[in-house]
Amino acid sequence: MRIAKLGVVGAGTMGSGIAALAASAGIPVVLLDIPGKDGDRNGPAKAGLERARKARPAAFMDTARAAVITIGNLEDDLAKLGDCDLILEAIIEQPAPKQALYARLEPLLKATSIIASNTSGIPMKVLVEGRTERFKQHFLGMHFFNPPRYLHLLEIIPTSDTLPEVVDATRRFSEVVLGKGIVVARDVPGFVANRLGVYGMVIAMKGMIESDLTIDEVDALTGPLLGRAKSATFRTADITGLDVLLHVSKGLSSSTGEDFTMPEWVQKLVESGRMGEKTGAGFYKKVGKDIQTLDWKTLEYVPQKSIDEPAFAALMKQPLETRLPMVEKLPGKYGEFARNYLLRMSHYVLKTTPQIAYDIVSVDRAIEWGYAWEAGPFQQMDALGHDVLREGFPRLGLDIPELLAKAQKDAFYRASEDGWLYLTFDEKYELVPPVPGQVKLDDVRRKKGAVVERSKDANLLDLGDGVLLLEARSKMNTMGAGVLSMLRSGLEHVAEGKFVGLVIGNDDTRAYSAGADLGAVVAQVQGSDWKGLDEMVRYFQEGAQLVRRAPFPVVAAPFGLTLGGGCEYALHCDRIQAHAELYMGLVEAGVGLIPAGGGTKELLFRFTQALEPYEEADPFEAVKRAFKLIAMATTSTSALEARNLGFLRPVADRITMNRDRLIADAKARVLDLAPDYVAPIPRTITALGKEAIGNLMYAAWAMHEGGAITDHEVRIARELAYVLCGGDGPPRTVTEQDILDLEREAFLKLLGTKETQERIVHTLKTGKPLRN
């Protein structure tokens, strides 16, 4: 079975978001909704698509991909679903309308069509009542999380009738094409993530009342401090929608017989139209630029209050496994809330897991991927300590769950020579099942002989099949001396014939690379070591050129933040295998500098050579394009946008939708290139000189006169223009080294200014840019 076209029924928040994700992946989509009543029959579907276009955070990775979405309505256009390979229903969360839709759909379906529901909790066996055997065999649940582009989890819920090949095809499409992390859940109310996640919200609300805390205080306690998402409890609820949350909680109470009851004042909020982000007010309300917080006792809004608790800041410096036991020991009402919350959540997870999941690994992955926890509940219980659970449960009148009693040596997970083991429901320890297609660097490091070289800033790892990996491990994976030295060592290992090529990548959750090591730069400026700074920049440039000239393939595997020097080195690789969520840019102008690791040179040469086949093309357009990207410190919001901007090449560089598969895909590129690889030849272009500088500076002065840029930013623009135009003389032929020399000179000139030094120090202290 191959899924090449998607049908989505329901153009609400979830339906339009799923359609936008699939279209971003290049999949044609038919998006249908109910007929409009105002003359435009396709009005509801059109409105849903428009919401997705304008959504923040962006639902599309490139809004131009909306062109592959065909809209329609359920009365006039239902037949358009007939040639879809997968039809996903995302309509009102009630069984009857869903069942009525399936009855209309069934006669239209081709023999291989798969039908899925995005229900957040209705059991599949209820939805397929009355359908034929063939329909049931091709039906399953596909529960996406909001927003679909950003949350990794997709729960797949087959029934006892669903064919294995239907599950396999859906899983592969979802993992590879849509980029999802798959958890196969049991067909029970709420499945895995919502059953546990909604319960966590409920007990946080009840604990807030019990400990007499505010909403601000509870979100401070149930966010990153406990390894949860920054949106914590109440901000997450606002994003979900209070009406949706209330509906789901009532449904879970009814279907499970368990207490998911929200406090009465939440019902009052919904009745008053305050349903969260979509209505402009919920637990939080934005007033101008300010955020106000609900006082749950009066249902009035008050100024948001930052929780200035010194203990929190100290705890956040600790890793999660150290932090959790310390949080549990906090004094006062914060400690009381945290203890009770952790104990009640842990108890519910332990009691419920065998009913909702096939193993504890699925639970941990579901909560990590669906609710953005730093570690899943069973990993957190191991960190908290099983003694804490055994002693704490009786204090709250809770029993000792069977699953806790089964854990040997107080651990749900145990390390072994072959990898991590997890506790099964029948009291055995088995290897944690791998995520399909994932090369996990923790596992690679454990293999005998796989660590070729190690330092505090970087590792060289043998990925197998003759491929070496450079893994940066510095703070935010910055390209400092330690990483650059290890890169050269890696290039030497490959050149000696021990390997066929190199991947530059890592599996950090935050950043591929935040750029060069500005801390080292500041230290040398403060010591007035200008000769050392010149040598540092030369060394940085030479490293990028070594990557470019290497007689074997070098592939970068960037993701997330790929800024400054990290972007420059990626640009010099033979190929880039990028994750779809790529925030890539040459941002040096923000700290008063220009890219001097070859980034300015590379964009100039790349854009100029792209125009060479066209005789009538104006070469100044290439210079202007590079100038604008660098001067504005433009950063992509996705890999598709990085391609549009020119950071990724249209054919040579590829995109991986699933971050789990990125290293494996980059390794495959190396192996594909290696057999007949030939290094690129040195390049020359015609630099445009003085006249082009004048044209660029005219635009800069116009922006200055309009108040858009400062005096110092005009100077940055002048230095950048000088480099991109090859100096202020007549047009001339320049080599890559000519432009690299100009880059370095401009970088050092700017670094010598008070304004640039102030910008760098401010950014290092605050993480934010300074406009001076």
Side-chain angles (χ1 to χ4, degrees):
M1 287 181 170
R2 181 171 176 269
I3 298 173
K5 186 175 183 180
L6 176 68
V8 178
V9 180
T13 301
M14 289 304 299
S16 61
I18 294 164
L21 173 64
S24 297
I27 298 296
V29 180
V30 175
L31 178 64
L32 305 183
D33 208 315
I34 59 173
K37 298 178 181 178
D38 56 358
D40 184 354
R41 300 278 289 173
N42 296 337
K46 189 180 294 182
L49 182 56
E50 193 59 25
R51 276 197 306 273
R53 285 179 193 267
K54 296 178 179 178
R56 291 293 178 271
F60 283 96
M61 294 177 183
D62 178 1
T63 52
R65 291 293 177 97
V68 302
I69 298 179
T70 301
I71 60 171
N73 68 79
L74 286 168
E75 287 187 6
D76 305 328
D77 303 301
L78 196 65
K80 290 180 179 178
L81 298 174
D83 65 344
C84 292
D85 303 297
L86 170 63
I87 300 163
L88 183 69
E89 165 269 304
I91 65 172
I92 187 169
E93 193 70 349
Q94 296 174 12
K98 293 176 186 290
Q99 291 166 336
L101 173 65
Y102 303 154
R104 294 181 61 202
L105 269 178
E106 186 164 2
L108 304 173
L109 300 176
K110 58 184 182 180
T112 56
S113 291
I114 298 169
I115 311 91
S117 176
N118 182 53
T119 175
S120 59
I122 303 172
M124 299 303 118
K125 58 179 177 282
V126 172
L127 296 180
V128 294
E129 288 175 1
R131 302 270 52 82
T132 64
E133 182 181 1
R134 188 174 74 84
F135 187 97
K136 292 177 180 179
Q137 289 174 339
H138 289 77
F139 183 86
L140 41 63
M142 292 179 69
H143 181 212
F144 289 80
F145 281 68
N146 190 34
R149 171 180 166 181
Y150 299 98
L151 287 180
H152 191 47
L153 177 64
L154 172 63
E155 290 177 312
I156 289 182
I157 310 101
T159 71
S160 57
D161 296 308
T162 310
L163 293 172
E165 54 265 38
V166 167
V167 178
D168 292 344
T170 305
R171 178 168 192 154
R172 177 159 182 81
F173 171 77
S174 302
E175 285 176 336
V176 177
V177 180
L178 300 184
K180 291 295 153 193
I182 304 300
V183 167
V184 178
R186 295 186 188 275
D187 187 16
V188 295
F191 316 128
V192 177
N194 270 359
R195 182 76 166 265
L196 302 179
V198 173
Y199 183 83
M201 288 187 179
V202 170
I203 60 169
M205 291 179 190
K206 291 179 178 178
M208 176 178 71
I209 297 168
E210 184 181 90
S211 296
D212 195 24
L213 300 180
T214 65
I215 284 174
D216 286 329
E217 287 174 320
V218 169
D219 269 0
L221 283 162
T222 59
L225 189 69
L226 294 184
R228 273 65 164 164
K230 287 182 180 178
S231 54
T233 297
F234 292 100
R235 175 70 183 126
T236 298
D238 270 359
I239 294 169
T240 303
L242 274 61
D243 56 331
V244 173
L245 192 58
L246 201 60
H247 178 81
V248 171
S249 68
K250 286 179 178 177
L252 286 171
S253 291
S254 173
S255 57
T256 65
E258 299 168 357
D259 184 9
F260 284 85
T261 309
M262 296 272 175
E264 187 179 345
W265 51 268
V266 178
Q267 176 74 49
K268 290 180 180 178
L269 277 181
V270 173
E271 289 172 355
S272 68
R274 291 180 281 180
M275 301 182 202
E277 191 174 73
K278 60 189 172 187
T279 61
F283 295 121
Y284 293 99
K285 179 181 179 181
K286 190 168 186 180
V287 181
K289 293 184 178 180
D290 298 324
I291 301 293
Q292 295 185 343
T293 307
L294 183 78
D295 180 335
W296 59 269
K297 296 177 182 177
T298 65
L299 299 191
E300 300 295 329
Y301 292 94
V302 297
Q304 188 173 32
K305 185 178 178 182
S306 177
I307 309 304
D308 187 18
E309 174 59 54
F312 290 5
L315 285 168
M316 284 305 297
K317 295 178 182 178
Q318 302 295 326
L320 183 63
E321 60 269 23
T322 304
R323 189 163 75 241
L324 276 175
M326 296 169 73
V327 170
E328 191 265 339
K329 292 181 174 65
L330 281 171
K333 61 181 183 179
Y334 291 160
E336 174 192 56
F337 172 88
R339 277 189 297 278
N340 292 346
Y341 172 79
L342 287 169
L343 287 168
R344 285 170 177 150
M345 186 68 193
S346 297
H347 188 270
Y348 187 75
V349 169
L350 288 164
K351 294 283 282 189
T352 311
T353 289
Q355 304 167 30
I356 62 175
Y358 291 101
D359 51 53
I360 68 170
V361 178
S362 296
V363 168
D364 279 352
R365 287 175 178 168
I367 298 300
E368 287 174 37
W369 295 342
Y371 283 86
W373 284 25
E374 189 177 338
F378 286 95
Q379 293 170 293
Q380 292 205 4
M381 283 186 262
D382 278 353
L384 191 61
H386 290 208
D387 284 344
V388 171
L389 302 177
R390 282 191 291 264
E391 293 166 10
F393 289 156
R395 285 204 310 268
L396 296 178
L398 303 171
D399 62 1
I400 303 297
E402 185 180 349
L403 200 51
L404 180 62
K406 288 179 177 179
Q408 300 167 21
K409 297 182 181 179
D410 287 351
F412 294 113
Y413 291 96
R414 296 196 332 223
S416 77
E417 290 184 1
D418 298 321
W420 283 98
L421 306 174
Y422 74 97
L423 176 68
T424 66
F425 295 150
D426 55 2
E427 299 186 58
K428 297 177 183 176
Y429 282 84
E430 296 180 358
L431 280 172
V432 172
V435 174
Q438 183 182 39
V439 173
K440 198 168 184 179
L441 298 187
D442 275 345
D443 294 340
V444 174
R445 288 187 218 102
R446 273 196 293 270
K447 292 180 181 177
K448 188 175 181 180
V451 179
V452 176
E453 206 169 322
R454 184 197 301 270
S455 76
K456 69 180 180 66
D457 290 327
N459 292 330
L460 290 175
L461 303 178
D462 183 349
L463 294 180
D465 302 312
V467 179
L468 187 65
L469 175 117
L470 170 71
E471 177 195 24
R473 292 176 67 82
S474 52
K475 184 177 181 181
M476 294 296 285
N477 304 313
T478 49
M479 305 292 287
V483 175
L484 297 179
S485 173
M486 190 66 79
L487 170 64
R488 293 185 181 218
S489 181
L491 293 170
E492 289 170 6
H493 279 289
V494 183
E496 290 167 1
K498 299 174 183 176
F499 299 91
V500 300
L502 178 71
V503 169
I504 302 177
N506 62 75
D507 55 9
D508 193 310
T509 57
R510 305 156 300 164
Y512 174 76
S513 175
D517 182 0
L518 286 178
V521 172
V522 167
Q524 289 191 282
V525 169
Q526 291 171 343
S528 298
D529 184 7
W530 294 100
K531 181 181 178 183
L533 280 163
D534 181 78
E535 290 172 353
M536 177 190 288
V537 180
R538 285 179 188 273
Y539 186 79
F540 201 99
Q541 291 181 333
E542 288 167 1
Q545 293 306 108
L546 287 172
V547 168
R548 165 56 56 81
R549 296 194 299 264
F552 48 80
V554 181
V555 174
F559 59 89
L561 292 177
T562 302
L563 306 176
C567 174
E568 291 180 287
Y569 268 69
L571 290 174
H572 283 82
C573 291
D574 295 292
R575 299 288 187 271
I576 294 176
Q577 185 73 39
H579 181 229
E581 296 299 342
L582 180 68
Y583 316 126
M584 189 178 208
L586 296 172
V587 296
E588 287 84 351
V591 289
L593 297 167
I594 71 162
T600 304
K601 175 270 301 178
E602 187 59 28
L603 289 191
L604 173 64
F605 272 73
R606 181 177 292 191
F607 295 163
T608 299
Q609 292 189 321
L611 295 179
E612 286 177 353
Y614 308 100
E615 291 183 10
E616 303 301 317
D618 181 356
F620 179 69
E621 290 300 316
V623 177
K624 184 171 72 173
R625 185 182 179 191
F627 179 82
K628 185 177 178 182
L629 268 183
I630 296 169
M632 302 299 290
T634 304
T635 302
S636 69
T637 58
S638 70
L640 288 177
E641 188 181 14
R643 182 179 280 164
N644 294 338
L645 293 171
F647 293 125
L648 302 186
R649 292 158 292 190
V651 177
D653 299 326
R654 296 179 186 169
I655 297 171
T656 296
M657 289 294 288
N658 192 327
R659 171 71 198 284
D660 294 333
R661 308 176 78 93
L662 183 61
I663 297 292
D665 287 350
K667 175 184 171 182
R669 296 302 304 280
V670 168
L671 294 172
D672 181 52
L673 292 168
D676 51 3
Y677 179 81
V678 177
I681 62 173
R683 299 171 292 176
T684 60
I685 60 169
T686 300
L688 301 184
K690 186 175 182 177
E691 183 178 346
I693 292 178
N695 290 336
L696 293 176
M697 290 312 297
Y698 177 82
W701 277 112
M703 291 181 70
H704 180 267
E705 291 302 305
I709 62 174
T710 66
D711 290 346
H712 189 56
E713 286 163 341
V714 172
R715 177 166 186 178
I716 298 167
R718 187 185 305 117
E719 296 292 350
L720 175 60
Y722 189 89
V723 175
L724 288 170
C725 297
D728 59 2
R732 65 185 178 115
T733 299
V734 294
T735 65
E736 293 180 71
Q737 190 59 49
D738 290 332
I739 302 300
L740 286 171
D741 291 341
L742 293 174
E743 267 188 12
R744 189 175 63 259
E745 291 168 14
F747 181 92
L748 293 171
K749 281 183 188 176
L750 289 168
L751 192 55
T753 65
K754 175 175 67 74
E755 292 86 354
T756 286
Q757 292 172 22
E758 288 172 349
R759 284 187 174 208
I760 293 172
V761 170
H762 180 83
T763 299
L764 287 173
K765 283 183 177 178
T766 68
K768 298 177 181 178
L770 172 68
R771 299 288 301 278
N772 61 350

